[in-house]
C-alpha cells in the first residue's frame, strides 16, 4: 500500500485509532496509539517523536529523542482492540542524522537484505521458522532476597492425572507423547484453530497446526516461508496473535524454550534458502539435492554457530534445552532427513523450489530481526569464503560414541559461553554495516548484566534440595 492507500484503508475499515508498533532491542514489541484525527499521509514522511531512553538497550537520557516512521506496507486492522484500530509496524530514525537507528532490529534486518543484494549472491533470502510454544492454564513466579519459585499448570499436564477435577477424565498426554494424538487427548485443537483464523486475518499464510511432543499444552503452528524482513514482521504478529487468542480464552502462552523439566523444550527450526531472479540457488546436484552454494552456506553456519547462538538462542533458559545427549540439536553437522543433526536438508519433495536448509538450533525466545539477519550473514560468509562444511553425518548422532563425536563442533553450553563466542567472532556480522560494533557491544553488555549475572548470583530451589543439609 501507498500512504494514500493506507489512509483510505483506515477509512474503509472504520478505524478510530492508529497503533504504531516497533521492536525494542531485546525482542519485545512496543507501541503507542493516536486518534485517527491525528493521522494523515504526512506521518509516513515526518514520523512521530518518542522517548528512546525508556526503551531497553537504546538511548541515554541526554540524547533520548527518537522518531518512528511507519511502514505503509504493513497496514492491517488489529484484531484485538475494542475500538477499530489500524496497526502499522515502524522503523526507528535518529532525529539529528535522519538515518535509520543502528540499534533498531528492523533496520538491521533491512540492511541484511540489502547486503545480500549488493553481494551479487542473490536477491532474496526466504525464511520459514517453526516457532513452538506452550499453552498453560496458570503461571506463578517470584524471586526475592529470601525465596524463589515458579509454577506452571495445564489441564493437559501428565502430572494432573491424579488431580481432583470432579471429574478427572484422564486423556492427558504422557511425557514426550504429545505428537500428536487426536482429541480428547489433544484438548487444544479448537484453540489452535482459532489462532490460525486470526493469523490469517492479519495476512499470515498458515500451512498447518498441531500438538507438539511435550505434555502440558505444547503446540506448533507453521507459517508459510517469506522474505527475511517480512518473516521477522510476521513472527512478531505470530507471537502477538497467539498470546492474545490464548488470553481471551483464559489461557496463557509462553515462548520460553524450556518451561518444563523432563520433557521437550520449544525450538524454532528455521528453514532458509537464497533465490535470484525467481530461481532457488540452493537446489543442485550435490548431497541431498543441494547446490554447492548451499553447502558453503552450511559451512558458514557451522563455522559461526557458537557466536550465532548468542542471537538465535539468547536467553539463559535457552541452554536448558540445548543439552548434549538429549533431543536438542547441539551437534553442528548436516544431514538429509536426519533430525538429530543441527542442520538438516528436508527431503519431503524433489521439487527444486522446495530445496532449503533447516537450522534446528534456534529457539523462539530470539528477536527474529536479529536472528534471521545473523543467520543470513553467517551463510553469506560461508558462500563468499567457500567454507567446506565437511562430510554429512547420516547416523543417529545420539547413538554415537564419544570417540565418534570428536571433531563435531557443538552449540555453547550456556548463554555466557555464547556471548563470549560472539565477542570473539563477529566480524562476519559487521560486513555492509549490517550489525555495528556498537550493536554487538550493547548486546553483550545488556545480556551479561541483565540476564547472565542476574541468574548467576541467585540460588535456585534445586540447590536447596541438593545442598541445604550439607
Amino acid at each position: 500500500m501507498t500512504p494514500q492507500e493506507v489512509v483510505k484503508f483506515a477509512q474503509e475499515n472504520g478505524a478510530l485509532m492508529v497503533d504504531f508498533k516497533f521492536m525494542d532491542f531485546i525482542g519485545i514489541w512496543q507501541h503507542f496509539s493516536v486518534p485517527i484525527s491525528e493521522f494523515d499521509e504526512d506521518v509516513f514522511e515526518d514520523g512521530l517523536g518518542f522517548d528512546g531512553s525508556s526503551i531497553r538497550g537504546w538511548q541515554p537520557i541526554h540524547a533520548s529523542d527518537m522518531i518512528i516512521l511507519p511502514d505503509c506496507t504493513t497496514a492491517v486492522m488489529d484484531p484485538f482492540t475494542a475500538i477499530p484500530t489500524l496497526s502499522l509496524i515502524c522503523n526507528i530514525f535518529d532525529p539529528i542524522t535522519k538515518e535509520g537507528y543502528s540499534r533498531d532490529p528492523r533496520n538491521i534486518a533491512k540492511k541484511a537484505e540489502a547486503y545480500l543484494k549488493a553481494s551479487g549472491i542473490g536477491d532474496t533470502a526466504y525464511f520459514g521458522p517453526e516457532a513452538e510454544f506452550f499453552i498453560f492454564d496458570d503461571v506463578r513466579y517470584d524471586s526475592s532476597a529470601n525465596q524463589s519459585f515458579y509454577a506452571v499448570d495445564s489441564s493437559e499436564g501428565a502430572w494432573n492425572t491424579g488431580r481432583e477435577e470432579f471429574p478427572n477424565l484422564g486423556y492427558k498426554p504422557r511425557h514426550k507423547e504429545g505428537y500428536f494424538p487426536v482429541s480428547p487427548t489433544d484438548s487444544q485443537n479448537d484453540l489452535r484453530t482459532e489462532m490460525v483464523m486470526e493469523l490469517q486475518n492479519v495476512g499470515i499464510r498458515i500451512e498447518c497446526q498441531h500438538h507438539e511432543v511435550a505434555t502440558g499444552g505444547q503446540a506448533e503452528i507453521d507459517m508459510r516461508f517469506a522474505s527475511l524482513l517480512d518473516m521477522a514482521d510476521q513472527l512478531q504478529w505470530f507471537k502477538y496473535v497467539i498470546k492474545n487468542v490464548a488470553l481471551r480464552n483464559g489461557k496463557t502462552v509462553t515462548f520460553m524454550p524450556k518451561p518444563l523439566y523432563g520433557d521437550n523444550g520449544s525450538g524454532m527450526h528455521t528453514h532458509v534458502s537464497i533465490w535470484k531472479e525467481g530461481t532457488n540457488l540452493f537446489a543442485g546436484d550435490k548431497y541431498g539435492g543441494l547446490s554447492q552454494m548451499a553447502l558453503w552456506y552450511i559451512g558458514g553456519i557451522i563455522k559461526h554457530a557458537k557466536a550465532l547462538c548468542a542471537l538465535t538462542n539468547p536467553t539463559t533458559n535457552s541452554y536448558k534445552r540445548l543439552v548434549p545427549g538429549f533431543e536438542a540439536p547441539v551437534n553442528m553437522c548436516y544431514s538429509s532427513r536426519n533430525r538429530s543433526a543441527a542442520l538438516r536438508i528436508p527431503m519431503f519433495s524433489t521439487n527444486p523450489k522446495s530445496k532449503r536448509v533447516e537450522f534446528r538450533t534456534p529457539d523462539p525466545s530470539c528477536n527474529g530481526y536479529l536472528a534471521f539477519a545473523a543467520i543470513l550473514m553467517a551463510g553469506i560468509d560461508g558462500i563468499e569464503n567457500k567454507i567446506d562444511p565437511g562430510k554429512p553425518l547420516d547416523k543417529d548422532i545420539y547413538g554415537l560414541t564419544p570417540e565418534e563425536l570428536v571433531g563435531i563442533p557443538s552449540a555453547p553450553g550456556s548463554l555466557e559461553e555464547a556471548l563470549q563466542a560472539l565477542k570473539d567472532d563477529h566480524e562476519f556480522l559487521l560486513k555492509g554495516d549490517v550489525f555495528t560494533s556498537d550493536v554487538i557491544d550493547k548486546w553483550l553488555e545488556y545480556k551479561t548484566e541483565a540476564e547472565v549475572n542476574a541468574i548467576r548470583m541467585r540460588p535456585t530451589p534445586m540447590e536447596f534440595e541438593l545442598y541445604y543439609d550439607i
Side-chain angles (χ1 to χ4, degrees):
M1 280 192 249
T2 65
Q4 296 89 343
E5 289 171 336
V6 173
V7 172
K8 183 179 179 181
F9 175 78
Q11 293 170 344
E12 291 174 345
N13 285 274
L16 298 177
M17 297 291 293
V18 180
D19 194 56
F20 301 102
K21 295 179 172 69
F22 62 94
M23 190 69 147
D24 77 2
F25 191 53
I26 308 306
I28 301 294
W29 245 2
Q30 311 292 321
H31 80 125
F32 64 88
S33 304
V34 302
I36 195 69
S37 58
E38 300 299 311
F39 177 72
D40 57 32
E41 297 172 23
D42 291 343
V43 73
F44 295 98
E45 183 70 28
D46 301 333
L48 294 168
F50 73 101
D51 177 9
S53 69
S54 296
I55 305 300
R56 297 182 300 174
W58 277 7
Q59 292 295 90
I61 196 167
H62 63 273
S64 62
D65 288 352
M66 302 295 289
I67 293 174
I68 64 161
L69 203 64
D71 184 338
C72 60
T73 66
T74 65
V76 296
M77 295 299 293
D78 192 310
F80 299 105
T81 55
I83 300 298
T85 300
L86 174 72
S87 178
L88 290 159
I89 298 176
C90 303
N91 299 308
I92 310 301
F93 281 76
D94 186 294
I96 306 300
T97 65
K98 306 298 183 185
E99 295 179 349
Y101 183 40
S102 63
R103 295 184 192 174
D104 173 15
R106 197 168 192 266
N107 183 38
I108 292 170
K110 291 172 67 177
K111 289 191 291 182
E113 288 190 321
Y115 182 76
L116 172 64
K117 293 178 182 178
S119 72
I121 291 171
D123 53 39
T124 308
Y126 285 114
F127 282 75
E130 301 173 3
E132 298 167 340
F133 54 96
F134 278 86
I135 304 169
F136 291 129
D137 296 319
D138 186 63
V139 56
R140 292 174 291 118
Y141 53 88
D142 195 12
S143 183
S144 59
N146 69 313
Q147 60 94 36
S148 178
F149 82 96
Y150 75 89
V152 295
D153 204 5
S154 167
S155 60
E156 277 198 355
W159 56 85
N160 280 325
T161 54
R163 184 170 67 175
E164 294 183 355
E165 295 180 352
F166 307 107
N168 189 325
L169 301 178
Y171 300 120
K172 303 179 191 303
R174 288 177 285 271
H175 287 285
K176 298 183 180 296
E177 293 187 22
Y179 188 88
F180 27 53
V182 299
S183 61
T185 303
D186 177 5
S187 68
Q188 297 175 342
N189 182 66
D190 288 343
L191 178 58
R192 294 193 306 272
T193 295
E194 184 180 339
M195 293 170 177
V196 169
M197 296 300 105
E198 292 292 11
L199 288 165
Q200 292 180 144
N201 285 340
V202 296
I204 298 176
R205 185 173 173 182
I206 300 299
E207 295 185 328
C208 72
Q209 61 90 348
H210 59 82
H211 204 288
E212 255 300 337
V213 173
T215 188
Q218 192 182 31
E220 181 177 315
I221 298 176
D222 292 334
M223 296 178 279
R224 177 78 169 178
F225 65 87
S227 61
L228 189 158
L229 182 64
D230 286 346
M231 181 49 72
D233 286 343
Q234 288 185 33
L235 183 59
Q236 287 313 112
W237 270 113
F238 182 85
K239 292 183 176 182
Y240 179 76
V241 167
I242 285 173
K243 288 178 180 179
N244 279 284
V245 169
L247 183 66
R248 75 185 182 196
N249 284 273
K251 306 281 188 179
T252 180
V253 159
T254 183
F255 288 90
M256 279 179 63
K258 191 69 173 179
L260 295 182
Y261 170 71
D263 213 331
N264 282 39
S266 292
M268 191 178 76
H269 305 155
T270 301
H271 300 253
V272 188
S273 59
I274 294 178
W275 293 55
K276 189 172 186 178
E277 297 177 354
T279 299
N280 183 3
L281 303 181
F282 275 17
D285 59 0
K286 303 294 183 182
Y287 176 83
L290 293 181
S291 65
Q292 182 62 62
M293 177 186 288
L295 291 174
W296 288 332
Y297 187 97
I298 290 172
I301 298 295
I302 292 174
K303 177 181 178 180
H304 300 297
K306 286 184 181 292
L308 280 178
C309 284
L311 296 162
T312 62
N313 303 80
T315 67
T316 59
N317 186 253
S318 297
Y319 299 88
K320 302 295 193 296
R321 168 180 171 258
L322 295 181
V323 178
F326 293 87
E327 293 187 24
V330 299
N331 296 296
M332 295 302 158
C333 55
Y334 70 101
S335 176
S336 64
R337 304 183 67 182
N338 187 350
R339 292 173 186 264
S340 65
L343 291 138
R344 187 175 78 97
I345 299 97
M347 303 298 290
F348 295 122
S349 172
T350 58
N351 188 335
K353 291 184 177 180
S354 68
K355 193 54 61 179
R356 60 200 187 272
V357 173
E358 179 188 4
F359 185 25
R360 296 173 63 82
T361 304
D363 69 56
S365 69
C366 71
N367 180 329
Y369 298 100
L370 301 183
F372 298 159
I375 291 169
L376 178 61
M377 295 302 289
I380 289 176
D381 187 64
I383 294 167
E384 290 179 332
N385 292 289
K386 300 181 179 180
I387 297 174
D388 183 0
K391 294 182 179 180
L393 190 60
D394 290 328
K395 299 179 180 179
D396 179 2
I397 296 170
Y398 306 119
L400 298 181
T401 65
E403 292 76 19
E404 290 175 303
L405 285 171
V406 172
I408 299 177
S410 63
S414 67
L415 179 57
E416 185 176 13
E417 184 183 340
L419 293 172
Q420 183 61 50
L422 179 62
K423 183 178 181 180
D424 296 338
D425 175 27
H426 62 260
E427 291 299 319
F428 70 98
L429 296 172
L430 304 182
K431 294 179 181 178
D433 200 40
V434 174
F435 288 77
T436 64
S437 295
D438 170 71
V439 166
I440 300 298
D441 291 344
K442 191 63 182 180
W443 186 262
L444 295 172
E445 174 191 316
Y446 180 89
K447 284 289 175 176
T448 299
E449 293 182 1
E451 299 178 27
V452 171
N453 288 345
I455 296 295
R456 184 163 50 190
M457 294 187 294
R458 282 172 169 77
T460 67
M462 189 64 195
E463 288 174 312
F464 276 81
E465 183 172 334
L466 290 171
Y467 309 129
Y468 186 77
D469 60 348
I470 287 178

